[in-house]
Amino acid sequence: MKGIIEGVKSYFSYLAPSNIKISDIVEIILISILLYYLIGWIRDTKAWSLLKGFVILIFVWIIAAVFQFNAISWLYKNALSVGIIAIFIIFQPELRRALEQLGRQNISIFNFDFKNTNKKFSDNTIQEIVRACFEMSKFKTGALIVIEGDTALREYERTGISINANISAELIINIFEHNTPLHDGAMIIHNDTITAATCILPVSDNMMLSKELGTRHRAGVGLSEVTDAFVIIVSEENGKVSVARNGQLIRGIDEMYLRSKLSALQMGSVSIKNKKEAIANSKKRSK
């Protein structure tokens, strides 16, 4: 008992303020922030269930060590090296997505206002896209339109059929018309050109998305999670127009909202707001 008390005293004496440096406090804060965002990211993916499984295995390991279950402890020790490799294999899609998202973050210390002031696409392109989307909305024609950002979408273009045509509302509507060869899949737009159609996009596994959303909406959100593309989705079920950006989906937008976001994207900067803000701004504009 005396030895335990001495051990506790020595432990807390090590944690005394005299032994804590400013760098230690900063390090603790940084690790805490990192863990907070890491757990938040994991909770939005299927990795959350896998993580709970690993926690259970660790709990069993602790019990085996406390009660000296030698056979179980031996199995855990020999499986440790293989288990580390298995973690990277099991979490490979999630780790890749996390690194892609990290690579797309703008670090302000490296931004010295060297932005290109040229427009990414013309005002006519905005007009034609908006007109096509809401014309298709009237007749409940499903559509999935991807507008390329800074991240190149060549790997997704290769999954579809090359178009390389100038943008017009009539062409967009014709491509997504029911029972036409090109209506299934996504259309990709680069600057003022429709580069490809029938493209296959990655489907989001975000558990927070509504269960009523179909593959078209999930594919739009999925691409926005791994690239900086701006995605427009027209629902085939109810004709509503939605947009996806950075993994966030705003449903049931109007023409003015879409035009404003495309205008912001035209200058190289756009973020979509939550639904309440979108509706509030739409009401203000309509007054």
Side-chain angles (χ1 to χ4, degrees):
M1 187 67 181
K2 186 177 180 181
I4 294 173
I5 294 172
E6 291 295 328
V8 172
K9 285 182 178 180
S10 63
Y11 176 76
F12 281 103
S13 64
Y14 174 77
L15 296 178
S18 59
N19 295 322
I20 297 178
K21 302 175 183 177
I22 298 296
S23 59
D24 296 329
I25 297 173
V26 174
E27 191 175 11
I28 290 169
I29 293 171
L30 290 175
I31 292 173
S32 301
I33 293 171
L34 179 63
L35 288 174
Y36 173 80
Y37 282 105
L38 180 64
I39 293 172
W41 166 72
I42 290 175
R43 288 194 64 178
D44 292 336
T45 67
K46 60 185 178 183
W48 183 246
S49 299
L50 296 172
L51 183 64
K52 288 191 287 187
F54 278 112
V55 171
I56 292 172
L57 289 175
I58 293 171
F59 182 70
V60 173
W61 190 2
I62 293 171
I63 292 175
V66 170
F67 291 98
Q68 297 182 351
F69 295 153
N70 296 325
I72 296 176
S73 298
W74 180 84
L75 287 172
Y76 269 93
K77 287 177 183 178
N78 285 276
L80 182 62
S81 58
V82 180
I84 293 172
I85 298 173
I87 288 173
F88 286 100
I89 294 172
I90 293 171
F91 290 102
Q92 186 271 334
E94 285 76 18
L95 290 171
R96 178 179 176 178
R97 183 171 299 168
L99 291 173
E100 286 173 337
Q101 291 175 349
L102 182 63
R104 290 192 291 111
Q105 297 300 316
N106 292 322
I107 304 175
S108 59
I109 192 173
F110 297 114
N111 291 339
F112 296 108
D113 201 22
F114 292 148
K115 292 183 179 179
N116 186 2
T117 56
N118 295 328
K119 294 181 179 180
K120 288 181 175 291
F121 42 81
S122 66
D123 294 336
N124 181 66
T125 292
I126 295 176
Q127 182 64 28
E128 295 299 307
I129 291 173
V130 172
R131 187 160 66 90
C133 287
F134 286 92
E135 190 67 26
M136 291 186 291
S137 174
K138 291 178 185 177
F139 298 98
K140 296 183 179 179
T141 302
L144 182 56
I145 302 172
V146 178
I147 302 173
E148 186 179 273
D150 294 328
T151 305
L153 302 176
R154 304 294 178 268
E155 62 176 300
Y156 301 107
E157 290 176 4
R158 287 193 290 268
T159 65
I161 296 173
S162 180
I163 301 292
N164 290 323
N166 293 331
I167 295 173
S168 69
E170 290 75 15
L171 178 57
I172 295 173
I173 293 169
N174 188 65
I175 287 174
F176 287 110
E177 188 64 37
H178 294 290
N179 301 322
T180 57
L182 302 179
H183 84 282
D184 197 17
M187 170 192 292
I188 296 179
I189 293 175
H190 173 71
N191 294 340
D192 292 311
T193 304
I194 300 173
T195 57
T198 71
C199 300
I200 299 172
L201 307 183
V203 179
S204 175
D205 58 2
N206 187 349
M207 301 298 181
M208 304 300 292
L209 291 175
S210 173
K211 302 299 181 185
E212 66 185 31
L213 294 177
T215 306
R216 183 178 286 112
H217 287 80
R218 291 185 176 275
V221 175
L223 182 70
S224 74
E225 289 174 343
V226 297
T227 71
D228 63 347
F230 184 81
V231 187
I232 307 170
I233 308 109
V234 181
S235 174
E236 191 173 349
E237 285 72 28
N238 52 36
K240 289 183 178 180
V241 180
S242 306
V243 292
R245 173 84 168 181
N246 294 329
Q248 186 181 8
L249 179 69
I250 302 296
R251 302 170 64 188
I253 64 170
D254 60 14
E255 291 187 41
M256 295 183 70
Y257 182 83
L258 179 58
R259 187 174 283 106
S260 68
K261 292 306 168 187
L262 289 175
S263 297
L265 183 67
Q266 183 185 41
M267 303 308 297
S269 176
V270 63
S271 62
I272 61 175
K273 301 176 181 178
N274 61 53
K275 192 170 183 180
K276 289 181 179 179
E277 289 176 313
I279 293 172
N281 288 344
S282 177
K283 288 180 178 179
K284 287 179 181 178
R285 288 191 294 266
S286 64
K287 289 182 179 179

